[in-house]
Amino acid sequence: MTAPNVVFIVADDLGFSDPGCYGGELRTPALDRLAAEGVRLSQFYTGARCTPSRASLLTGLHPQQVGLGILTNDDRPRGYPGTLAEDCVTMAEILGEGGYTTGAVGKWHLAADVRRANRAWPLRRGFDHYFGTLSGCGSYYDPPTLTRGESNAESDALDPAFFYTDAITDEAVDFLASRAGARPRRPFFLYVAYTAPHWPLHAPDEAEIAAYDGVFDDGWDALRTRRLERMHEAGVLGPEAGLSEADPARPAWSEAKHRAWQLRRMQVYAAQVGRMDRGIGRIVSALEDAVALDDTLVVFLSDNGASPEELPLGPLERFRSRTDILRLRTRGGSPVAIGNEPSVSPGAEDTFQSYGRAWANLSNTPFRRYKRWVHEGGICAPCVVRWRSGGIAEGRVIDAPFQLIDVLPTVLHATGAPYPAERKGRPIPPAEGRSMLPALRGDEVPESSLYWEHTGNAAVRRGRWKLVREHGRPWELYDLAADRSELRDLAADRRGPAAELAAELAADWEAWARRVGLIPWEVTLGIYEERGLDEVEAAG
Ligand SMILES: [Ca+2]
């Protein structure tokens, strides 16, 4: 068998149960097709936020090991550098060495400096080709830091028809079409990182928003219940997954104000996902046209759980000055209405809103918490894998737990590429994860411990047990085999066998934290305090 092509498709802040094939109301026919011809994972874990997740995906290491524990802020000398380390390899570097053509399209978010080309930019990290945004997010109509190769390409957006989701798709399709005709033929690695459905709520076609009229009218409470029923029916979750309590920090739907605006927010979010799904459909068609679909390992995933962030984050002036993600005017010169103001209907270029906490609570059904936390709602993501000639089971749900560090070993397993011992003469850490392929082919796999930390929120999972805490709070212990949604804290009883297990797992987590060079959140908070910054306001 020849080495397969590899295509990653990444969504940004898409909740676990949003896609149709995971039980959501959102229409995702292209993704559903990949799921029907491949597998869905029911326990695939990411990091808690964009930057750490992308770092793990591309390097096979924990984000703390590669300088990206939080975001792309340079917090040296005491904090993380916030830029991709030199002593690690990316998937593109490994596959490029093995004869692959490599391309990255879309969001990068792994470099502290997004203005001047540097060693953390895509072309210097193994990609032959790059088009996309280097920063965390921004307008879909006029994206800041849009870059082709290493040159600013923001003027691409002067075309009135420009829309970032479509531009990402167009570039990915062009890449595939040109590789298909190239001789001699080389396998390719294409990394497609959409920014959808990360805020701002931008959707260019009113018909796509109107297509969701009525779909969400019963509100987040009723829809959470129905989603979980569909997830049980589809086998994406078993009966051990109960519905978490409604987040007390958001109103019941029956008491929600500005309901028309609330519905509009969710409909625009759904339309954003629809645009992305259409792009995924075009990418799959391009692979078919190149007669390469069945010989391509296609991995779709979201980088973290749905986001509860309300806009603006922190005082507006600081939000403006600290981030390079904001346009104050449209391309036509009109002011942009920044923030979640109910009198403004989101979707167009002169708006800048997010869908907010209550809808994110629906997106993460049935779990607790959100992006930034490491309870299930923050780190459990939809993940679909298709590779027909690789013998991956078709249409099945795979229940074995995996996390982002396992993707790189999976690709190495599939392609036969070796993991190097060094980069540019410097030793690098061994890959942390293990191949998912045996499990994706339907075999039983042994248990392996998984670890997380982000802004002090921490967790370790060993088999059915998960120890998890919010920063500054005591550890909680859950039996995920009986209680997937983390509803019954077994560590609440501070004595007995559960307490012993909790202590053992806590010690395991501490040892991991030391090994990966974790910088305690208190240290970073101290740095921000000295600089007069709120925690983390920048986008991610
Ligand atoms: Ca994200």
Side-chain angles (χ1 to χ4, degrees):
M1 191 175 67
T2 54
N5 308 301
V6 179
V7 173
F8 291 174
I9 304 172
V10 179
D12 198 348
D13 294 4
L14 181 70
F16 180 65
S17 56
D18 276 330
C21 54
Y22 274 81
E25 308 79 19
L26 278 56
R27 299 175 194 125
T28 53
L31 203 49
D32 299 354
R33 175 194 165 180
L34 288 176
E37 297 172 355
V39 295
R40 281 161 289 170
L41 280 78
S42 66
Q43 303 196 76
F44 184 80
Y45 292 107
T46 62
R49 220 191 195 107
C50 308
T51 292
S53 283
R54 286 150 209 275
S56 266
L57 173 66
L58 288 182
T59 65
L61 299 173
H62 293 285
Q64 294 85 359
Q65 294 174 283
V66 300
L68 292 160
I70 300 168
L71 280 166
T72 50
N73 306 316
D74 183 348
D75 297 330
R76 286 175 293 184
R78 284 181 292 139
Y80 294 109
T83 207
L84 189 59
E86 288 286 297
D87 55 348
C88 67
V89 287
T90 69
M91 188 102 63
E93 287 167 335
I94 295 175
L95 293 180
E97 189 69 25
Y100 277 65
T101 304
T102 57
V105 184
K107 168 168 160 174
W108 184 243
H109 211 197
L110 295 171
D113 184 348
V114 297
R115 295 292 169 198
R116 280 166 309 165
N118 61 75
R119 292 184 292 184
W121 281 27
L123 293 195
R124 305 191 199 186
R125 293 314 309 242
F127 288 102
D128 305 326
H129 183 93
Y130 177 66
F131 171 76
T133 43
L134 296 159
S135 63
C137 67
S139 170
Y140 288 73
Y141 298 94
D142 187 13
T145 75
L146 190 66
T147 300
R148 180 176 295 282
E150 292 189 341
S151 303
N152 187 288
E154 291 177 6
S155 61
D156 278 24
L158 291 175
D159 178 350
F162 181 93
F163 192 73
Y164 190 32
T165 301
D166 298 338
I168 289 171
T169 303
D170 290 345
E171 192 77 13
V173 166
D174 285 352
F175 177 92
L176 295 173
S178 66
R179 294 313 168 272
R183 294 287 181 276
R185 201 157 176 168
R186 291 168 65 190
F188 51 80
F189 167 47
L190 176 61
Y191 171 45
V192 185
Y194 285 104
T195 55
H198 195 301
W199 50 263
L201 291 173
H202 280 170
D205 184 346
E206 280 299 324
E208 290 176 12
I209 302 168
Y212 279 96
D213 282 352
V215 171
F216 303 109
D217 284 8
D218 290 340
W220 40 70
D221 293 303
L223 292 173
R224 261 167 41 92
T225 303
R226 280 179 225 153
R227 265 199 192 192
L228 182 57
E229 286 168 7
R230 283 195 301 273
M231 298 175 90
H232 285 152
E233 282 163 22
V236 174
L237 288 178
E240 73 285 353
L243 191 63
S244 60
E245 265 183 56
D247 181 345
R250 54 92 169 159
W253 178 251
S254 57
E255 290 165 13
K257 299 191 174 86
H258 313 295
R259 283 207 211 175
W261 174 70
Q262 294 287 11
L263 290 170
R264 171 81 183 188
R265 292 210 284 178
M266 188 62 196
Q267 288 184 229
V268 174
Y269 176 90
Q272 287 181 292
V273 175
R275 273 271 160 156
M276 174 178 69
D277 187 78
R278 217 160 66 202
I280 295 170
R282 287 181 53 212
I283 290 169
V284 170
S285 293
L287 286 167
E288 284 181 312
D289 291 347
V291 201
L293 179 58
D294 289 350
D295 295 323
T296 301
L297 171 64
V298 181
V299 179
F300 168 87
L301 53 88
S302 175
D303 68 338
N304 48 250
S307 165
E309 290 155 348
E310 300 282 358
L311 295 179
L313 297 162
L316 185 56
E317 280 311 316
R318 197 152 61 204
F319 180 56
R320 279 181 191 170
S321 62
R322 278 208 62 226
T323 62
D324 44 29
I325 59 176
L326 217 49
R327 301 283 194 211
L328 300 181
R329 295 198 170 268
T330 66
R331 291 165 295 175
S334 309
V336 175
I338 297 156
N340 293 343
E341 168 54 51
S343 65
V344 175
S345 181
E349 186 182 350
D350 60 356
T351 66
F352 200 97
Q353 299 193 9
S354 68
Y355 80 157
R357 193 174 191 103
W359 290 121
N361 197 195
L362 170 64
S363 286
N364 289 334
T365 301
F367 301 137
R368 295 166 56 200
R369 304 296 176 130
Y370 308 93
K371 170 181 178 179
R372 195 177 156 176
W373 282 270
V374 294
H375 289 76
E376 296 287 280
I379 55 171
C380 196
C383 177
V384 175
V385 183
R386 183 194 192 280
W387 183 27
R388 191 164 262 173
S389 66
I392 287 182
E394 293 187 24
R396 286 183 53 177
V397 174
I398 304 297
D399 293 322
F402 288 105
Q403 75 185 127
L404 282 168
I405 52 168
D406 298 316
V407 175
L408 182 136
T410 304
V411 171
L412 301 190
H413 187 178
T415 60
Y419 184 83
E422 57 180 37
R423 177 174 182 271
K424 294 185 174 175
R426 292 170 66 173
I428 61 171
E432 287 279 329
R434 57 182 181 154
S435 173
M436 304 189 289
L437 274 187
L440 303 184
R441 288 167 172 156
D443 296 335
E444 292 286 320
V445 291
E447 289 174 358
S448 175
S449 294
L450 312 177
Y451 304 89
W452 298 264
E453 189 276 342
H454 182 71
T455 63
N457 302 324
V460 50
R461 177 166 179 179
R462 184 193 296 169
R464 64 195 296 167
W465 307 105
K466 182 177 170 188
L467 190 75
V468 56
R469 75 167 181 222
E470 185 174 356
H471 178 65
R473 309 270 305 165
W475 287 109
E476 303 159 17
L477 177 68
Y478 298 101
D479 175 2
L480 295 191
D483 175 22
R484 180 67 199 285
S485 304
E486 304 170 311
L487 308 181
R488 295 179 294 280
D489 175 14
L490 304 174
D493 173 10
R494 301 283 161 208
R495 286 168 297 191
E500 278 175 36
L501 178 60
E504 186 186 322
L505 289 169
D508 187 17
W509 184 88
E510 294 288 347
W512 169 81
R514 282 192 298 275
R515 183 171 70 75
V516 299
L518 188 148
I519 296 171
W521 180 228
E522 288 81 1
V523 172
T524 305
L525 278 179
I527 296 166
Y528 293 165
E529 199 172 317
E530 285 165 21
R531 294 180 188 170
L533 303 172
D534 282 355
E535 293 191 1
V536 178
E537 295 162 355

